[in-house]
Amino acid sequence: MTEKWVSVWGNAMSIVESKVEGYAKEITLRYPIDVPFDGKEIRLTLDNFTGTEEVSFETVSVGIMGKDQNVLKGSIKKLTFNGENNLKLKPRENKQSDPIQLEMKKGDCLAISIYIKDYAQMRSGVLTFGPLSRGFYSIGDQSETEALPPKMTRDLACVYFLSRVDIYCDEMNQCLICYGDSITAQAWSEHLKLMYMEKGENTTTVRKGISGSRILRQYDNLHYESFGFRGLDRFEHEIDVCGAKAVIILHGINDIIQPVGIDVNPFRPWDEMPDLNELIEGLSFYIQKAKERGLKVYMGTLLPMEGWRTYATFRNELRKSLNEWIRNNKEIDGYIDFDAKMRDSAYENRLNPLYDSGDHLHPNDEGHKKMAEIVYQYMKDE
């Protein structure tokens, strides 16, 4: 059997919201990672992409997690980086661990534990949602602890520093990169991963979504810096994924809905409102960079948004014009028409109420399941 490295999990590196408690020490982060394929080696990537200070990691370990969320006895192994147990990452730097042997079966759940001993800037990370998104932090060095102590442990919604997990597996296996903003940072890519697993497919997903992210702009203030770097600066970083066959790009709605004028919001001036040509230029940059990496490129049309708090006819017309460009683009390998399949049949500019979270922009969980079904069927028919 011929084998290769495939990324089976991933997340974007955004900027975790700045708060006075933005530093931590003597904590262990633990992230459960669901395994979609059999494998026999593992490696991971730690990333300080959005950090402004050097961060030190004392110990990183991996083990197999049981159904009770405790790590199975005897399965914990320490990971090394260039032969060393500890690791220092400068700002914008990332490092891949040395591969280690670990027998994994499809359906297993890994426990990745990261022990931070000294004060660290907790800035590089991303807020995630979905059926497979979960994490914990615990006081002290719990990197080799099978059961985290309940009195010293809390749930954690943010993924800090961990950007990719790769396993060495059958060469037939592959992953699909899901790139975008808050809609992608939410649940559809995880529902798609579960669908592939349930159907016994040799494909999995790697999510690269950041809430609030725009293609063309980023914020230079504390209020909105959690929206992360602009797409033009983060796209190449995010598509560095092993075993990827393609990227699905669903991005651009925030460029359209965020500018409101400084009389309404001092951080969202009208001069940041793009025109169609600027958005096309940004998405064309994505296409070029993805093709350079040998990836197939699929684009999602932007979902309906009537009823969203900054909705206006001119914004909607820009969205529709961009969608028409996507539908007629000859440089991409295909498009997934979320707009047509998620809209209200009676009001084409609105989300179907069955799929609306209530803010008229973001899908609810049923909507994310529907998006996963749309992608699954599209990719199956390709």
Side-chain angles (χ1 to χ4, degrees), residues 41-166:
E41 289 185 69
I42 186 171
R43 66 189 185 191
L44 57 82
T45 300
L46 294 185
D47 201 332
N48 195 23
F49 183 53
T50 58
T52 60
E53 301 176 11
E54 184 176 78
V55 177
S56 296
F57 307 94
E58 190 71 14
T59 310
V60 182
S61 68
V62 60
I64 305 294
M65 183 174 279
K67 295 186 182 302
D68 58 2
Q69 301 206 31
N70 295 333
V71 182
L72 300 181
K73 188 174 183 179
S75 71
I76 297 176
K77 295 187 176 185
K78 286 186 177 182
L79 290 159
T80 59
F81 297 81
N82 293 325
E84 300 292 331
N85 287 327
N86 51 21
L87 172 69
K88 293 182 185 294
L89 287 180
K90 297 176 182 177
R92 302 296 290 261
E93 188 177 26
N94 65 76
K95 288 284 178 69
Q96 185 174 273
S97 70
D98 304 319
I100 61 166
Q101 290 188 338
L102 183 69
E103 291 292 332
M104 295 161 283
K105 296 295 183 183
K106 175 185 172 180
D108 280 349
C109 185
L110 303 175
I112 306 293
S113 299
I114 304 167
Y115 171 49
I116 299 171
K117 181 179 180 180
D118 300 319
Y119 273 114
Q121 182 191 45
M122 305 297 287
R123 179 177 170 89
S124 287
V126 68
L127 182 64
T128 60
F129 307 86
L132 302 177
S133 291
R134 55 208 190 278
F136 311 93
Y137 74 91
S138 193
I139 304 301
D141 183 2
Q142 311 292 347
S143 59
E144 295 184 84
T145 301
E146 294 161 5
L148 296 176
K151 291 184 178 180
M152 306 291 282
T153 302
R154 292 190 67 179
D155 292 346
L156 183 62
C158 288
V159 177
Y160 291 96
F161 306 115
L162 182 63
S163 66
R164 207 175 81 197
V165 176
D166 309 329

Side-chain angles (χ1 to χ4, degrees), residues 203 212 259:
T203 300

Side-chain angles (χ1 to χ4, degrees), residues 361-378:
L361 178 69
H362 299 91
N364 57 19
D365 199 53
E366 285 303 309
H368 282 284
K369 289 177 182 176
K370 179 64 176 179
M371 290 179 70
E373 291 170 6
I374 293 166
V375 175
Y376 178 84
Q377 191 60 51
Y378 181 88

